Amino acid sequence: MPIANQEMIRNTNRRLVLEYIVNNPPVSRADLAKHLQLTKATISNIVQELLDKNLVQEIGSAQTAMGRKPILLKFHQSCGQVLAIDVRPHQIITLITDLKGENCRVKEFPFSPEANLLPLLEHIISEHMENCKESPYGIVGIGIGIYGVVHKNRIVFTPYYPLPAPNLSELLSGRFQIPVFSENESNFSVLGESAFRCGYQNMIHINVHDGIGMGILVNGKLYKGQDGYAGELGHTILFPDGKPCACGNEGCLEQYASERAILEEYARKIGQSHVNTEEFLKDYQQKRPEAIEMINLFVKYMAIGMNNIVNTFNTDLIVLNSFFSNCIPDINSRIAEYLRCHQNRDCKILASRLQDISCLIGGIRVCIEHFLDIEHLQIQTLSADLENPEHS
């Protein structure tokens, strides 16, 4: 067999072994051979290589009734760390974790759309590197979630803040000698959510904020379209010749169903200049008619948008992540019922498990999979540290 083919087979086997250890700890060499259908000699050689690289640890013997007790293996998740950065229109949030997405620390930074993003990110990354716990590999990757269009790790368009350098990832990677991955925040979100819902190979993740973004997973792979513009759900047309949109069209969905649009229309209806999410929720809970009307419209408009999604992708699952659906428990079931009654479609609609950190977890996942050269990282738990972010 040619050497190149032998190397390819070995790399494939190594990837399978490491991915199984990462996602199914603890496991013995014998179990690896059984589940992966590889020879014991192949498993032994690969495991020794992973031990030498400090990626895998032996953690003792399994309890057996008779015979030699097998030595158990687990992934050495604290051998490195990963940094994810969510660049929001008015705030930057960072998350640093170990190589299993655990032992998390969250920090918030103020951000003005007028600020120069590149030096700000350089400062944030430098601060994290200085405070990073010592580990054999240090920070192995940085994921940056962008509110806009990203194609092949280059930023194409940002509607909410000035376009940073298109080659932002390349500049930061050169500065810190760490792989940097920029991606649309909804694309990161669907990858983050799917790490928790690993049984779904086809799923859609919808983020509702100032706009409406969508991440698309098809057969377990992120779908971005020809040039990164796939998933711009907020710019699908709801009302031809409707409200003007910053994208240049009229009547876009996000002009009617985004968090910003709902709150602005509600404020207009009650004669206020501004209403925040907490005030709106309080009025809704007190059954103020105008607030109930706006939620009914949100349900209707999102159901129409989801009907278009189901007809286009025939997906297994839609995850809706919005302030309204996260705080009002029956919204998802109402949207599903609207689909059944008005659009004659059934679709599983679930709330996001990750909510505000879905983008960050997606960035963490991408960096870990790149460093380990695996394809399907599963994340099971979140640290309580996420509930109390640090402020800078």
Side-chain angles (χ1 to χ4, degrees):
M1 181 182 296
I3 294 177
N5 288 346
Q6 290 179 340
E7 186 67 21
M8 182 177 67
I9 291 172
R10 180 170 178 80
N11 288 340
T12 299
N13 289 339
R14 176 192 172 279
R15 182 181 302 113
L16 291 172
V17 170
L18 181 55
E19 185 172 301
Y20 196 91
I21 295 173
V22 169
N23 290 331
N24 301 277
V27 61
S28 68
R29 291 168 174 82
D31 286 336
L32 285 169
K34 177 182 177 181
H35 286 287
L36 300 177
Q37 296 184 336
L38 296 172
T39 67
K40 292 182 179 180
T42 297
I43 293 295
S44 179
N45 289 335
I46 293 174
V47 167
Q48 187 58 53
E49 176 187 342
L50 296 175
L51 288 168
D52 293 342
K53 290 184 176 180
N54 210 8
L55 294 175
V56 167
Q57 296 174 312
E58 294 180 334
I59 58 170
S61 302
Q63 297 299 319
T64 57
M66 55 188 300
R68 184 178 178 181
K69 296 180 179 180
I71 297 174
L72 296 177
L73 305 165
K74 76 166 188 174
F75 174 50
H76 186 191
Q77 63 191 71
S78 61
C79 70
Q81 294 179 298
V82 185
L83 173 64
I85 304 174
D86 187 358
V87 184
R88 302 181 178 185
H90 302 286
Q91 184 185 44
I92 292 178
I93 301 180
T94 65
L95 169 65
I96 192 161
T97 77
D98 63 22
L99 298 189
K100 196 70 168 84
E102 299 175 0
N103 298 310
C104 310
R105 299 194 306 279
V106 175
K107 193 165 186 178
E108 298 177 354
F109 297 83
F111 173 53
S112 168
E114 294 77 27
N116 190 330
L117 185 59
L118 178 58
L120 179 56
L121 289 178
E122 289 177 335
H123 168 74
I124 290 172
I125 294 170
S126 296
E127 179 177 318
H128 278 84
M129 292 185 71
E130 291 174 1
N131 297 329
C132 182
K133 294 180 180 178
E134 290 187 6
S135 58
Y137 289 99
I139 295 179
V140 303
I142 300 171
I144 303 177
I146 297 291
Y147 283 57
V149 178
V150 182
H151 183 53
K152 295 182 178 179
N153 214 22
R154 293 180 65 86
I155 301 170
V156 178
F157 170 69
T158 52
Y160 302 116
Y161 36 77
L163 178 68
N167 60 336
L168 180 70
S169 297
E170 182 181 345
L171 293 173
L172 292 172
S173 181
R175 162 78 188 276
F176 295 102
Q177 298 301 300
I178 297 172
V180 179
F181 305 92
S182 295
E183 186 53 89
N184 167 269
E185 50 92 23
S186 292
N187 287 339
F188 266 164
S189 290
V190 75
L191 291 173
E193 199 74 41
S194 66
F196 281 80
R197 305 182 193 271
C198 52
Y200 292 95
Q201 292 296 298
N202 298 283
M203 64 182 289
I204 301 288
H205 188 285
I206 300 174
N207 279 336
V208 180
H209 36 70
D210 282 4
I212 300 177
M214 178 171 70
I216 307 165
L217 206 66
V218 177
N219 295 328
K221 302 291 185 181
L222 188 64
Y223 178 76
K224 300 182 60 176
Q226 177 183 344
D227 52 7
Y229 277 84
E232 290 296 315
L233 176 65
H235 296 294
T236 56
I237 305 300
L238 183 64
F239 294 112
D241 304 318
K243 296 178 182 179
C245 183
C247 73
N249 288 316
E250 296 177 337
C252 291
L253 177 64
E254 70 177 42
Q255 295 302 317
Y256 299 88
S258 67
E259 179 182 308
R260 171 185 51 80
I262 292 290
L263 294 179
E264 287 180 354
E265 180 63 16
Y266 178 67
R268 187 191 67 79
K269 284 180 176 293
I270 65 173
Q272 300 289 333
S273 60
H274 175 75
V275 175
N276 62 35
T277 52
E278 289 74 18
E279 292 167 339
F280 176 85
L281 181 61
K282 180 180 179 181
D283 287 351
Y284 178 80
Q285 292 170 338
Q286 293 177 350
K287 299 184 178 180
R288 185 162 182 170
E290 296 88 348
I292 292 174
E293 178 187 359
M294 293 311 303
I295 288 299
N296 290 340
L297 286 174
F298 176 78
V299 169
K300 177 181 177 180
Y301 295 154
M302 289 307 302
I304 293 172
M306 288 187 189
N307 178 68
N308 294 335
I309 293 170
V310 174
N311 283 330
T312 303
F313 292 100
N314 193 28
T315 188
D316 300 333
L317 170 69
I318 295 179
V319 175
L320 178 59
N321 185 25
S322 77
F323 170 83
F324 306 120
S325 57
N326 292 339
C327 295
I328 303 174
D330 68 339
I331 278 188
N332 287 341
S333 61
R334 288 171 61 185
I335 292 174
E337 181 63 22
Y338 190 98
L339 281 170
R340 283 190 292 269
C341 295
H342 297 270
Q343 313 292 341
N344 194 30
R345 298 305 306 267
D346 280 322
C347 180
K348 181 177 288 187
I349 304 170
L350 298 178
S352 170
R353 290 186 182 180
L354 302 177
Q355 298 187 11
D356 287 347
I357 63 162
S358 59
C359 169
L360 293 165
I361 293 296
I364 294 292
R365 174 185 174 177
V366 167
C367 292
I368 294 173
E369 289 180 343
H370 176 267
F371 173 69
L372 298 178
D373 191 24
I374 64 175
E375 295 182 352
H376 303 289
L377 176 71
Q378 297 174 19
I379 299 175
Q380 303 297 330
T381 61
L382 288 175
S383 169
D385 295 340
L386 291 172
E387 300 174 1
N388 300 294
E390 302 174 25
H391 298 269
S392 179

